[in-house]
Short mmCIF file of all heavy atoms in Angstrom, two decimals:
data_model
loop_
_atom_site.label_atom_id
_atom_site.label_comp_id
_atom_site.label_asym_id
_atom_site.label_seq_id
_atom_site.Cartn_x
_atom_site.Cartn_y
_atom_site.Cartn_z
N GLU A 318 -11.34 -32.49 0.15
CA GLU A 318 -11.59 -31.08 0.44
C GLU A 318 -11.58 -30.80 1.94
O GLU A 318 -10.98 -29.83 2.41
CB GLU A 318 -12.93 -30.66 -0.16
CG GLU A 318 -13.29 -29.21 0.14
CD GLU A 318 -14.68 -28.82 -0.33
OE1 GLU A 318 -15.01 -29.10 -1.50
OE2 GLU A 318 -15.43 -28.21 0.47
N ALA A 319 -12.24 -31.68 2.70
CA ALA A 319 -12.30 -31.48 4.15
C ALA A 319 -10.92 -31.57 4.79
O ALA A 319 -10.58 -30.80 5.69
CB ALA A 319 -13.24 -32.52 4.77
N GLY A 320 -10.10 -32.52 4.29
CA GLY A 320 -8.77 -32.67 4.85
C GLY A 320 -7.90 -31.46 4.61
O GLY A 320 -7.19 -30.98 5.51
N MET A 321 -7.95 -30.93 3.40
CA MET A 321 -7.15 -29.74 3.07
C MET A 321 -7.67 -28.52 3.81
O MET A 321 -6.88 -27.71 4.33
CB MET A 321 -7.15 -29.50 1.57
CG MET A 321 -6.35 -28.28 1.14
SD MET A 321 -6.20 -28.19 -0.66
CE MET A 321 -5.60 -26.51 -0.86
N ALA A 322 -8.98 -28.38 3.89
CA ALA A 322 -9.57 -27.22 4.59
C ALA A 322 -9.15 -27.21 6.06
O ALA A 322 -8.82 -26.16 6.62
CB ALA A 322 -11.09 -27.25 4.47
N ALA A 323 -9.13 -28.38 6.68
CA ALA A 323 -8.74 -28.46 8.08
C ALA A 323 -7.29 -28.03 8.27
O ALA A 323 -6.95 -27.36 9.25
CB ALA A 323 -8.94 -29.88 8.59
N ARG A 324 -6.42 -28.37 7.31
CA ARG A 324 -5.01 -27.97 7.41
C ARG A 324 -4.84 -26.48 7.16
O ARG A 324 -3.94 -25.84 7.75
CB ARG A 324 -4.16 -28.78 6.41
CG ARG A 324 -2.66 -28.49 6.50
CD ARG A 324 -2.11 -28.82 7.87
NE ARG A 324 -0.69 -28.50 7.98
CZ ARG A 324 -0.19 -27.28 8.25
NH1 ARG A 324 -1.03 -26.26 8.43
NH2 ARG A 324 1.11 -27.10 8.32
N VAL A 325 -5.70 -25.89 6.32
CA VAL A 325 -5.67 -24.44 6.13
C VAL A 325 -6.01 -23.74 7.45
O VAL A 325 -5.40 -22.73 7.81
CB VAL A 325 -6.65 -24.01 5.02
CG1 VAL A 325 -6.79 -22.49 4.97
CG2 VAL A 325 -6.16 -24.51 3.66
N VAL A 326 -6.98 -24.28 8.17
CA VAL A 326 -7.34 -23.70 9.47
C VAL A 326 -6.13 -23.69 10.40
O VAL A 326 -5.85 -22.69 11.08
CB VAL A 326 -8.51 -24.48 10.11
CG1 VAL A 326 -8.74 -24.00 11.55
CG2 VAL A 326 -9.78 -24.30 9.30
N VAL A 327 -5.40 -24.80 10.44
CA VAL A 327 -4.19 -24.87 11.28
C VAL A 327 -3.18 -23.80 10.86
O VAL A 327 -2.56 -23.14 11.71
CB VAL A 327 -3.55 -26.27 11.19
CG1 VAL A 327 -2.20 -26.30 11.91
CG2 VAL A 327 -4.49 -27.32 11.78
N ALA A 328 -3.04 -23.60 9.56
CA ALA A 328 -2.10 -22.58 9.06
C ALA A 328 -2.50 -21.19 9.54
O ALA A 328 -1.64 -20.39 9.93
CB ALA A 328 -2.03 -22.63 7.54
N THR A 329 -3.79 -20.89 9.50
CA THR A 329 -4.23 -19.56 9.96
C THR A 329 -3.98 -19.38 11.44
O THR A 329 -3.66 -18.28 11.90
CB THR A 329 -5.74 -19.35 9.67
OG1 THR A 329 -6.52 -20.25 10.46
CG2 THR A 329 -6.05 -19.54 8.20
N GLN A 330 -4.10 -20.48 12.19
CA GLN A 330 -3.82 -20.39 13.64
C GLN A 330 -2.33 -20.17 13.89
O GLN A 330 -1.95 -19.35 14.74
CB GLN A 330 -4.32 -21.66 14.32
CG GLN A 330 -5.83 -21.82 14.28
CD GLN A 330 -6.31 -23.20 14.67
OE1 GLN A 330 -5.52 -24.16 14.70
NE2 GLN A 330 -7.58 -23.34 14.95
N ASP A 331 -1.50 -20.89 13.14
CA ASP A 331 -0.05 -20.73 13.30
C ASP A 331 0.40 -19.32 12.93
O ASP A 331 1.34 -18.77 13.54
CB ASP A 331 0.69 -21.72 12.39
CG ASP A 331 0.58 -23.16 12.88
OD1 ASP A 331 0.21 -23.36 14.05
OD2 ASP A 331 0.86 -24.07 12.08
N LEU A 332 -0.25 -18.72 11.95
CA LEU A 332 0.15 -17.40 11.46
C LEU A 332 -0.65 -16.25 12.09
O LEU A 332 -0.48 -15.10 11.71
CB LEU A 332 -0.01 -17.34 9.93
CG LEU A 332 0.90 -18.32 9.16
CD1 LEU A 332 0.67 -18.20 7.66
CD2 LEU A 332 2.36 -18.09 9.49
N ARG A 333 -1.55 -16.61 13.03
CA ARG A 333 -2.32 -15.62 13.82
C ARG A 333 -3.36 -14.87 13.02
O ARG A 333 -3.86 -13.83 13.46
CB ARG A 333 -1.37 -14.61 14.48
CG ARG A 333 -0.21 -15.18 15.29
CD ARG A 333 0.68 -14.06 15.78
NE ARG A 333 1.90 -14.54 16.42
CZ ARG A 333 2.94 -13.75 16.74
NH1 ARG A 333 2.88 -12.46 16.45
NH2 ARG A 333 4.01 -14.25 17.31
#
Side-chain angles (χ1 to χ4, degrees):
E318 178 185 311
M321 180 172 166
R324 184 60 182 82
V325 171
V326 172
V327 172
T329 66
Q330 294 167 345
D331 289 343
L332 297 179
R333 309 175 187 169

